[in-house]
Amino acid sequence: MIRVFVPRDTTAAALGADRVAAAIVAEAARSGIPIELVRNGSRGAFWLEPLVEVEDGRGRRLFGPVNVEDVPGLFASGFPFDCDHPLAQGAPDDVEWLATQQRVTFARAGVIDPVSIRDYMAHGGFKGLEAALGMAPQAIVDVIKASGLRGRGGAAFPTGIKWQTVLDTPAAQKYIACNADEGDSGTFADRLLMEADPYQLLEGMAIAGLATGATLGLIYLRSEYPRARDVLEQAIALARAGGYLGDDLLGSGKAFDIELRLGANAYICGEETSMLNSLEGRRGLVRFKPPLPAIKGLFGQPTVINNVLTLAAASTILSDGAGAYAGLGAGDSKGTLTVQLSGNIARGGLVEVPFGTPLSTLLREYGGGTASGRAMRAVMVGGPLGTYLPESLWDTPLDYASFADVGGMLGHGGVVVFDDTVDMARQARFAMAFCALESCGKCTPCRVGSVRGVEVLDKIIGNNDIENNIKVLNDLCDTLVDGSLCAMGGLTPHPVRSALSHFPEDFRDR
Ligand SMILES: Cc1cc2nc3c(=O)[nH]c(=O)nc-3n(C[C@H](O)[C@H](O)[C@H](O)COP(=O)(O)O)c2cc1C
Ligand code: SF4
């Protein structure tokens, strides 16, 4: 039977995918054409969503963006059989935006039915878990170390070292805590992975459990992601029923299970120690380090805290080998980078490329310039605590070292584009106001300094004693960097200072 794929993912749904799916089912019934409707995840080509795909035994054909009003016309021109329609995009390889990427983590995204274990296995799923079940914990940790995998949640800490610490810390109970809070502006890779390929995350968590001796994993999911929650709940139940989770993983006698917890709707709850407090039912206040969560984490027990993409990568590494992963990338940035393109961009979405690809390639070749058609002026990389980059720095290769060299950071790979109507003093104010709103309140520089920062920026924006106020702003930034307990306060000066140094005219010529 012909399979017709219509994404169930949040972005596609926001663009009308649910109504498109219903219209296709109704139109097929009216035309007497038997179809199997599959609600897949998204391939991340959001500019083509809702992206409808047809699989008829000769591969896939893509149509997009399909609005509900397009459905009768599609059928009139022969859909779902071979047809010539203005929305026809050809095979996946005909869409350059998709074909030129190096899809590793997102290889299955949008291709499979996210909750079908059969689909997952037909595309290489659970091979990593099967391999890990036959290995000693230290051997699994050694593979992760050899792969060069670094944490994808922002700080890029080597994953193997974190796992080694948990493995080496004796305890009756250890935990794997998956950070799926994804609070950075312009990021959606975690959500996309959970909605498009959830077993990859569950498999990675089980591998982390086998590597470190943890028997329980918790996913701390952003509460604003109801669709990801639905998919994960279904996937966890089916994985448990299939023996991929539970007391006896694939008949090995080894145990690992996963519970889903909803986040508390605060940016700071993505900071790892704050997340631990939230998971324990407390207010999301940052904890002092040391002790490291790897030694004394959830409920005082050794805990691996990793981002969704980090854990997902572990399944690929165990399946394909450390060498295959370490062979991709640039310098000590191994594997691929999943860039999330958003803001004022013509072709927004998720692009997976090898580390080292210049930012400008993403902006121009994949992004296609601004959505407004105006000149691009500033690009924020690395979320709300990242850096605003001017055009002179857009050729910077996207890898950890190159970004550090230009005073930036890749963070979770969010890239937000602004055209020439942007006011960078107001963007600097946004960073301070964000910190004031989201500060956990534990330390004074961040709690009070960010409020004062907004006031000073308001004076600058209001053309009030500009030079003196820029001095005060710089002093405040120094205090935030020197006196903050965590990276929330410590990194807030980043966007403010990058705006000041790269776009001084927006502060001084008001
Ligand atoms: C204010 C703040 C917010 C953060 N938000 C997230 C988040 O939403 N998701 C995430 O994975 N890491 C977030 N992090 C980083 C985590 O503290 C932690 O480094 C990460 O989850 C570790 O996983 P990794 O090693 O796989 O990157 C945040 C850090 C800070 C300081
Ligand atoms: S820097 Fe801000 S968010 Fe971090 S601990 Fe201090 S008050 Fe809390």
Side-chain angles (χ1 to χ4, degrees):
M1 194 187 306
I2 294 181
R3 294 174 99 195
V4 177
F5 295 76
V6 184
R8 64 193 278 188
D9 128 287
T10 300
T11 306
L15 293 164
D18 293 346
R19 284 184 296 132
V20 170
I24 288 176
V25 169
E27 202 65 40
R30 197 166 21 248
S31 316
I33 303 169
I35 61 162
E36 180 194 342
L37 182 81
V38 180
R39 299 304 305 272
N40 56 336
S42 174
R43 290 181 189 258
F46 291 156
W47 54 286
L48 280 177
E49 293 289 4
L51 181 63
V52 174
E53 303 189 20
V54 174
E55 187 182 69
D56 56 5
R58 293 172 301 151
R60 298 271 271 257
R61 281 172 294 119
L62 278 47
F63 299 84
V66 178
N67 294 311
V68 72
E69 306 79 43
D70 298 318
V71 174
L74 269 173
F75 276 84
S77 66
F79 180 94
F81 306 107
D82 281 341
C83 65
D84 190 16
H85 187 278
L87 296 180
Q89 303 286 341
D93 276 352
D94 296 331
V95 181
E96 202 187 339
W97 196 91
L98 287 171
T100 52
Q101 295 183 40
Q102 187 156 18
R103 292 227 156 192
V104 177
T105 303
F106 284 86
R108 282 177 292 253
V111 177
I112 61 168
D113 174 349
V115 290
S116 162
I117 290 182
R118 203 185 52 189
D119 264 16
Y120 183 61
M121 294 187 72
H123 288 82
F126 289 126
K127 283 201 182 121
L129 177 62
E130 280 166 18
L133 281 167
M135 294 163 72
Q138 185 61 58
I140 305 174
V141 173
D142 287 344
V143 171
I144 295 295
K145 279 186 187 165
S147 74
L149 176 64
R150 295 170 67 171
R152 301 315 181 92
F157 188 80
T159 308
I161 294 178
K162 196 181 274 189
W163 289 19
Q164 184 75 60
T165 310
V166 176
L167 172 62
D168 292 345
T169 308
Q173 178 68 58
K174 300 179 187 180
Y175 297 103
I176 308 298
C178 169
N179 192 340
D181 204 48
E182 194 161 54
D184 278 4
S185 38
T187 59
F188 42 80
D190 295 350
R191 176 184 66 68
L192 196 72
L193 186 117
M194 292 184 285
E195 292 182 3
D197 193 11
Y199 293 117
Q200 190 181 175
L201 171 60
L202 307 189
E203 182 180 358
M205 289 178 73
I207 292 167
L210 293 169
T212 56
T215 52
L216 184 62
L218 295 105
I219 302 175
Y220 187 81
L221 176 68
R222 184 176 175 77
S223 62
E224 299 91 330
Y225 282 172
R227 288 199 174 223
R229 177 188 181 178
D230 279 356
V231 175
L232 282 173
E233 276 174 351
Q234 285 180 52
I236 291 170
L238 289 168
R240 207 176 279 140
Y244 299 96
L245 290 177
D247 291 339
D248 185 18
L249 294 181
L250 297 179
S252 64
K254 297 177 182 173
F256 187 78
D257 214 337
I258 293 178
E259 291 176 11
L260 185 61
R261 301 284 169 82
L262 288 190
N265 205 337
Y267 182 71
I268 197 60
C269 286
E271 193 283 332
E272 58 186 17
T273 60
S274 192
M275 181 183 87
L276 292 175
N277 276 339
S278 185
L279 275 169
E280 290 176 6
R282 301 162 200 264
R283 181 177 148 198
L285 269 184
V286 172
R287 294 180 184 174
F288 289 96
K289 281 193 277 193
L292 291 173
I295 292 168
K296 202 163 181 277
L298 191 63
F299 300 112
Q301 304 303 310
T303 304
V304 168
I305 301 175
N306 275 140
N307 173 254
V308 172
L309 300 184
T310 316
L311 290 161
S315 74
T316 315
I317 291 165
L318 265 290
S319 149
D320 300 351
Y325 196 82
L328 301 170
D332 63 357
S333 304
K334 303 294 188 196
T336 52
L337 179 67
T338 46
V339 179
Q340 299 127 87
L341 274 179
S342 67
N344 194 336
I345 189 93
R347 292 197 294 258
L350 181 129
V351 184
E352 186 169 356
V353 287
F355 276 106
T357 306
L359 174 62
S360 51
T361 304
L362 272 295
L363 300 174
R364 301 209 167 95
E365 289 174 27
Y366 290 97
T370 60
S372 61
R374 299 181 64 98
M376 215 177 263
R377 178 154 183 251
V379 179
M380 174 165 239
V381 180
L385 311 177
T387 326
Y388 290 104
L389 301 174
E391 186 166 9
S392 57
L393 295 177
W394 294 347
D395 281 331
T396 308
L398 287 156
D399 60 68
Y400 298 121
S402 303
F403 258 68
D405 285 349
V406 299
M409 58 177 213
L410 289 182
H412 192 41
V415 171
V416 183
V417 175
F418 299 84
D419 74 10
D420 59 0
T421 58
V422 69
D423 177 340
M424 294 308 293
R426 287 192 183 278
Q427 287 306 124
R429 185 192 190 278
F430 165 80
M432 278 292 184
F434 182 78
C435 182
L437 185 72
E438 299 289 353
S439 166
C440 86
K442 190 156 179 159
C443 51
T444 318
C446 169
R447 184 185 65 246
V448 179
S450 54
V451 176
R452 297 286 95 87
V454 174
E455 290 166 3
V456 174
L457 276 156
D458 278 341
K459 287 184 190 156
I460 294 169
I461 290 167
N463 205 356
N464 185 341
D465 198 6
I466 291 179
E467 287 309 322
N468 261 333
N469 278 311
I470 288 179
K471 263 199 210 110
V472 175
L473 183 62
N474 270 319
D475 282 355
L476 254 176
C477 285
D478 287 342
T479 310
L480 276 159
V481 171
D482 297 340
S484 296
L485 175 60
C486 87
M488 176 85 204
L491 289 177
T492 294
H494 236 177
V496 178
R497 284 196 154 134
S498 63
L500 248 175
S501 61
H502 297 311
F503 304 93
E505 62 277 19
D506 285 20
F507 293 80
R508 294 198 154 91
D509 308 332
R510 297 196 70 88

